[in-house]
Structures are given as structure tokens and as C-alpha cells.
Amino acid sequence: MDGDDLALFERSLRAAVERRSSAELDHALDDLGWPDALRSDPQAAVSSLFALQGRAHATSDALTGVVADALGIDCDLDTGIVLPAAGRWAAPGRLEGRTLHVHGAALAAFASRSEALVVATAGDDVVAVTVPTASLPRRPVEGIDPWMGLQEIDARGLEATAVPQPVAEGWPAAVARAQLALAHELVGASRRMLELAREHALEREQFGRPIATFQAVRHRLADTLVAIETADALVDAAWLDGTARTAAMAKAVAGREARVASKHCQQVLAGIGFTAEHELHRHVRRVLVLDALFGTSKALTAALGAELAGSRRLPPLLPL
């Protein structure tokens, strides 16, 4: 997808994301043919939607679709997918014989699905098991970002009656694709926070002139822009490179730089940025949750560092 087709696709997504969220946005994405675009051009579909979603503070079930597509599983509207628990990227399930243990998370739309697909380790294999959604105890995660509708799932000793499907090669690909999607969403949220801080710096006056004229404020805004562009460039490079390692690097950097953007923009907005009336706090909260999904920036960086130390080899240069 390129040229006029891509521009039309992005305009349609923008209109949908800016006006809708949650279930309404899921229906709009289906009407726009986003699932078909995901299958034919994953980079265009993922980068366009998730950047807009982060910017608009919208929510959808698109991350579930991204994971299912990478797994090569055709999930219908009655099937949800259990994601790894916050801070983790390993398969959320463990299958022992016919007994299934699950520790994971799910998006808001999961509650409306009748069946749940759980990716689980089974000895040295990785399989996908389908169980009734009602059999999975869920706890709403309402603390830091109640608007996202995230749920925690913790189940022990479930009987797996369905035949497990092998997905050994699909899970690393699904994790990588989900990390890229979340990295785009983190960049989108960061860009919106920078817009808010810039607008405030131009409008707010101190000592008879806009605070945007003060060097300390300008440095905060410039550092934020550098952080965002760094993350965005690495995410684009990760698509070109196509390996799971660079996807993890992109997610780690996007999470770290989004926290940098949160800190600097909060400083520029000062007191008004802490109020519930201003939208900044929603983006700051969303960044913290997005950073936790499929591995935090700290955990991914530590894992990548350990991998490099173990192999004693530097990875190839990225196509920046």
C-alpha cells in the first residue's frame, strides 16, 4: 500500500480513531477493512492505526488481531486471545498433560468473547489451546489507566478439552509484531504530549512574555522531540530489519523515550498538567501501561544486554 491508497487509508483511520473508541472503534475498523489490510500489508496497517490510537488516547481490540495474524490463526469475533501478564512477553499459559495454568492479561473486548485462545508452553513445545472464556477468572486493572479496560487473568488447573494447535514458530513472531504495534502507540502518545506542552508554552506568559521564549522550556521541548524521533526511527528500522531482536529494541526504546516525553512535558505544563481537567495525565498513564505490555523498557533492555553478553557478538547495524 503506498501513494494515494495509503493516504486515503490513513485519513479514514484518523477519522475513525478521533471519533470512536472501544467497541465502536472495533466495528469501525471492521467496516474500513483494517483486518484485511493487516493481512495484506502489516506494516501500513499497524503503523497507521497504532500511532493514531496513541495520539487520540483511543482503545480497541486491534492488538488481539495483530497477535492472531502473526500466529496464523483466524480468530472470529467470538474468540479472544490471552496476552502475557504485564511486564512479561513469555507465553501466558502452561500445559501439563491436559491441565492448563494461565497467568496473563486481556483487553476490554475479551469479556464479550465466548471462547479464549491461550498460547501455552507444553514441555519444549508452544501450543495454542481454546477454552471457554467463562472458565478464566478475570480482575479489572483499574488503578493507573481505567480507560484502557485491561484485565488480569489468573487460572490454575483448568481442563483443556480442545486439541492443542502447535504454534512454536508463531509465538516469537507474534510477540515481535505486538511489540512493534505498542511502540507505534507509545510514539503516538508521546507526540500528543509534545503538542500539548508546545501549545501551553506558546500561550502561557511569565514576566510579560510566553514561557516558550525561556531557554529552559525550549530545551525541554527540544529534548522531547529528539526522544520521539529517535524512537520513531528505530521502530521504522525494526520493520525493515524484521527480526524479533530489533522489535524488542524498538519497544524498549519507545517505552524509555515515552517516559522521557512524559517527564519533560509534565515539567513544561507544570501545575495544570497534574489536574484531571487537562488531558496530559491520561497520556502519561497510558504510557505507563503500554510500556508494561509485552515487556517493560527496563526488562527488555536487561534481556537484550544479557543476550549480547552471552553471545559476545554485536548485532548487525540497523538500516537507519
Side-chain angles (χ1 to χ4, degrees):
M1 194 184 308
D2 54 15
D4 293 341
D5 290 341
L6 180 58
L8 177 61
F9 181 64
E10 290 177 341
R11 282 200 303 273
S12 301
L13 286 179
R14 183 183 300 277
V17 171
E18 290 180 348
R19 297 171 187 170
R20 301 174 180 85
S21 188
S22 303
E24 287 189 357
L25 179 55
D26 290 332
H27 290 305
L29 293 177
D30 283 341
D31 292 342
L32 288 172
W34 185 81
D36 296 330
L38 178 64
R39 284 187 284 273
S40 62
D41 191 341
Q43 182 176 356
V46 170
S47 62
S48 300
L49 173 62
F50 283 87
L52 290 168
Q53 192 166 281
R55 199 168 193 143
H57 195 261
T59 60
S60 75
D61 198 38
L63 186 63
T64 297
V66 169
V67 173
D69 182 69
L71 287 171
I73 293 174
D74 187 18
C75 277
D76 56 32
L77 293 177
D78 287 333
T79 306
I81 293 183
V82 178
L83 305 177
R88 303 181 60 184
W89 57 93
R94 188 176 78 256
L95 188 63
E96 298 174 347
R98 301 187 69 83
T99 303
L100 179 64
H101 307 285
V102 185
H103 180 56
L107 302 176
F110 185 85
S112 64
R113 309 294 195 244
S114 60
E115 291 187 327
L117 187 141
V118 181
V119 177
T121 56
D124 294 332
D125 296 327
V126 181
V127 298
V129 185
T130 302
V131 297
T133 303
S135 67
L136 297 173
R138 300 186 301 278
R139 182 185 69 83
V141 181
E142 297 177 335
I144 195 70
D145 186 3
W147 306 280
M148 194 167 181
L150 198 66
Q151 303 164 66
E152 183 185 61
I153 296 174
D154 201 356
R156 295 285 182 273
L158 296 178
E159 183 181 1
T161 56
V163 178
Q165 306 174 49
V167 293
E169 296 180 0
W171 182 244
V175 171
R177 190 65 59 79
Q179 288 173 333
L180 288 175
L182 292 165
H184 281 294
E185 192 165 353
L186 284 161
V187 170
S190 300
R191 291 197 187 281
R192 181 55 184 156
M193 288 191 290
L194 178 58
E195 287 176 357
L196 294 170
R198 175 184 169 275
E199 291 168 4
H200 179 76
L202 291 171
E203 295 172 358
R204 176 71 170 144
E205 292 188 359
Q206 285 284 344
F207 308 110
R209 54 180 175 145
I211 63 172
T213 62
F214 299 146
Q215 190 176 48
V217 173
R218 296 163 76 99
H219 282 175
R220 294 278 184 186
L221 296 176
D223 289 347
T224 303
L225 180 60
V226 170
I228 293 171
E229 295 302 333
T230 299
D232 202 17
L234 185 51
V235 178
D236 288 342
W239 279 105
L240 293 173
D241 184 66
T243 65
R245 177 187 292 155
T246 52
M249 290 170 61
K251 172 66 168 49
V253 171
R256 185 190 67 196
E257 303 302 357
R259 286 173 177 263
V260 170
S262 301
K263 180 178 68 175
H264 289 336
C265 293
Q266 179 67 76
Q267 286 287 325
V268 172
L269 282 155
I272 194 172
F274 286 105
T275 63
E277 289 78 9
H278 198 280
E279 72 172 271
L280 179 74
H281 74 102
R282 289 178 177 248
H283 296 290
V284 173
R285 290 164 179 248
R286 181 59 52 86
V287 160
L288 296 176
V289 175
L290 294 176
D291 183 40
L293 293 176
F294 283 89
T296 65
S297 56
K298 286 186 178 179
L300 289 171
T301 301
L304 289 164
E307 179 185 336
L308 289 179
S311 66
R312 296 180 179 272
R313 294 180 59 187
L314 290 174
L317 291 176
L318 292 175
L320 291 173

